[in-house]
Amino acid sequence: MTDVLAPGSVIGIIGGGQLGRMTALAAARLGYRCHIYTPEENSPASQVSEKTTVASYEDENALAEFAAAVDVITYEFENIPVDTVQRLSKLAPVRPRPSVLAVSQHRVAEKDFARDSGAGTALYQGVTDLDQLRNAVSEIGRPAVLKTCRFGYDGKGQVKITAETDLAAAWASLKTDDAVLEGFVSFEKEVSVIVARGVDGTALAFPVAENHHVDHILSTSTVPANIPEATEKAARATAVALAERLELVGLLAVEMFVTDEGEVLVNEVAPRPHNSGHWTQDGCATCQFEQLVRAVTGLPLGPVDVLFPTVMQNLIGDEAGQWLDIAAEPHAKLHLYGKTEARPGRKMGHVNRIKVS
Ligand code: AMP
């Protein structure tokens, strides 16, 4: 029991976005208090948390004060400098530990790691200049996808290499010297699995979500996924294997492709709650945010049975303006993030439509 943080303890969350907000709400329900660390004023997470430090990720004094004020630290997005998290880990337990963050921040490290864990990936090769790109294209073939290794999201920082693509122009467009070329996967479905692993080493994968993107941004996640049972099992087992190899404490979201042959290939991992796991708030016996709180505080993990088949739909930009209609829909559970400005492409909220039989 020594590793268990009692209710009343303070969870420090780095990052102030909606994932932090929903983690803080789940923490509050279990009697924990949250302290957010973010460079942003009036962040979605700070609106629902007891305390916020507004400071940069390089502010050593603010980081030290934050670490002294909390009992455990977690993070809600992965583009935090690893140095920051390493510094914090000398002052307070950081879960997941900094090396997990480092793997998730670099696409080649991520794929090497997935391969080393026995998981399948697309063909890939690290590329640092135009000559290497030419070599990689001749080995992997076309079509392929060239991606920056760091800071890419929602399809940003990547370019498709087709038969017609001029490689010099493609390389110049990426504006980086650290990239990866991936073979193009003609996938049948995109799915994801969120796995939790506790302080005691117990790992538990949520059911597979089937994801549909529009303009490279997640639009819907559907559970149960329309895949054979063997594929569901393989995807969850892959996620558990990754979590175990990382000695994760917390959550790991694993995005995967299911190929036409039913093979599961790992595309990306993120050591935090994930948009494709929002369905768990209303459709699952334990939601991903509560599971994160349970994992980092040393509580036993909660069960992950599907209670209701659920379709999660993101509300992006102006779509959040439909809140009144959604509120009137039976079995539609509305979640809004408290963001005032509805910019195009900005995630403003989501709705979980549950199927009650
Ligand atoms: P990512 O930033 O890696 O998540 O990629 C964004 C989206 O681009 C994915 O959700 C896929 O739809 C597509 N994509 C990425 N990598 C590949 C690949 N190697 N083959 C085919 N499609 C891909």
Side-chain angles (χ1 to χ4, degrees), residues 107 110-111 122-123 143-145 147 152-158 160 181-187 190 211 213 216-217 255-257 267-268:
R107 287 190 191 267
E110 191 172 57
K111 287 203 164 45
L123 292 173
V145 188
K147 302 178 179 179
Y153 69 98
D154 289 346
K156 295 190 174 63
Q158 59 178 273
K160 189 167 173 184
L181 185 78
E182 295 179 16
F184 191 81
V185 179
S186 88
F187 55 80
E190 291 192 82
N211 301 324
H213 297 83
H216 291 286
I217 302 177
E255 292 184 60
M256 308 177 206
F257 301 125
N267 179 34
E268 266 194 308

Side-chain angles (χ1 to χ4, degrees), residues 135-205:
N135 284 338
V137 170
S138 62
E139 277 187 31
I140 288 174
R142 305 185 189 216
V145 188
L146 179 65
K147 302 178 179 179
T148 56
C149 280
R150 293 181 186 277
F151 304 124
Y153 69 98
D154 289 346
K156 295 190 174 63
Q158 59 178 273
V159 47
K160 189 167 173 184
I161 308 284
T162 64
E164 292 80 37
T165 306
D166 174 64
L167 294 185
W171 180 249
S173 75
L174 223 54
K175 299 188 177 66
T176 184
D177 57 2
D178 190 12
V180 62
L181 185 78
E182 295 179 16
F184 191 81
V185 179
S186 88
F187 55 80
E188 193 185 302
K189 286 184 193 300
E190 291 192 82
V191 300
S192 56
V193 174
I194 293 159
V195 56
R197 188 168 171 277
V199 173
D200 67 356
T202 309
L204 197 54

Side-chain angles (χ1 to χ4, degrees), residues 59-349:
D59 185 335
E60 291 187 28
N61 290 336
L63 289 168
E65 274 176 32
F66 170 70
V70 304
D71 297 296
V72 64
I73 296 172
T74 191
Y75 35 89
E76 62 105 48
F77 82 126
E78 65 267 33
N79 288 333
I80 315 159
V82 174
D83 273 359
T84 297
V85 181
Q86 251 153 4
R87 196 172 298 150
L88 287 169
S89 69
K90 300 197 172 82
L91 306 169
V94 173
R95 296 172 179 160
R97 63 203 174 105
S99 57
V100 177
L101 191 65
V103 167
S104 72
Q105 283 184 350
H106 194 272
R107 287 190 191 267
V108 172
E110 191 172 57
K111 287 203 164 45
D112 286 347
F113 164 75
R115 280 281 166 99
D116 292 347
S117 312
T121 65
L123 292 173
Y124 67 98
Q125 210 163 299
V127 169
T128 58
D129 60 32
L130 180 56
D131 277 349
Q132 286 190 5
L133 176 61
R134 293 194 199 285
N135 284 338
V137 170
S138 62
E139 277 187 31
I140 288 174
R142 305 185 189 216
V145 188
L146 179 65
K147 302 178 179 179
T148 56
C149 280
R150 293 181 186 277
F151 304 124
Y153 69 98
D154 289 346
K156 295 190 174 63
Q158 59 178 273
V159 47
K160 189 167 173 184
I161 308 284
T162 64
E164 292 80 37
T165 306
D166 174 64
L167 294 185
W171 180 249
S173 75
L174 223 54
K175 299 188 177 66
T176 184
D177 57 2
D178 190 12
V180 62
L181 185 78
E182 295 179 16
F184 191 81
V185 179
S186 88
F187 55 80
E188 193 185 302
K189 286 184 193 300
E190 291 192 82
V191 300
S192 56
V193 174
I194 293 159
V195 56
R197 188 168 171 277
V199 173
D200 67 356
T202 309
L204 197 54
F206 283 95
V208 178
E210 181 174 335
N211 301 324
H212 174 62
H213 297 83
V214 174
D215 297 333
H216 291 286
I217 302 177
L218 183 68
S219 173
T220 62
S221 292
T222 302
V223 176
N226 184 16
I227 53 176
E229 208 181 306
T231 310
E232 169 97 22
K233 271 195 180 153
R236 290 169 84 171
T238 297
V240 167
L242 298 185
E244 286 177 343
R245 194 175 171 95
L246 286 169
E247 294 177 26
L248 177 85
V249 176
L251 295 188
L252 187 74
V254 186
E255 292 184 60
M256 308 177 206
F257 301 125
V258 179
T259 67
D260 301 338
E261 294 78 39
E263 201 187 351
V264 172
L265 303 178
V266 171
N267 179 34
E268 266 194 308
V269 300
R272 54 163 173 79
H274 194 261
N275 195 168
S276 65
H278 292 356
W279 71 274
T280 58
Q281 293 174 302
D282 301 297
C284 190
T286 305
C287 87
Q288 62 166 344
F289 303 102
E290 176 174 335
Q291 201 73 308
L292 173 61
V293 170
R294 284 171 170 264
V296 302
T297 57
L299 288 176
L301 299 180
V304 294
D305 314 73
V306 177
L307 299 183
F308 306 106
T310 303
V311 180
M312 187 284 310
Q313 184 202 337
N314 270 335
L315 300 173
I316 294 170
D318 290 342
E319 288 167 0
Q322 300 159 16
W323 54 270
L324 191 51
D325 291 337
I326 295 169
E329 243 184 83
H331 304 133
K333 302 290 195 174
L334 179 65
H335 300 257
L336 294 173
Y337 306 151
K339 298 179 184 178
T340 44
E341 202 191 331
R343 291 192 294 268
R346 193 174 195 206
K347 292 174 182 169
M348 303 298 291

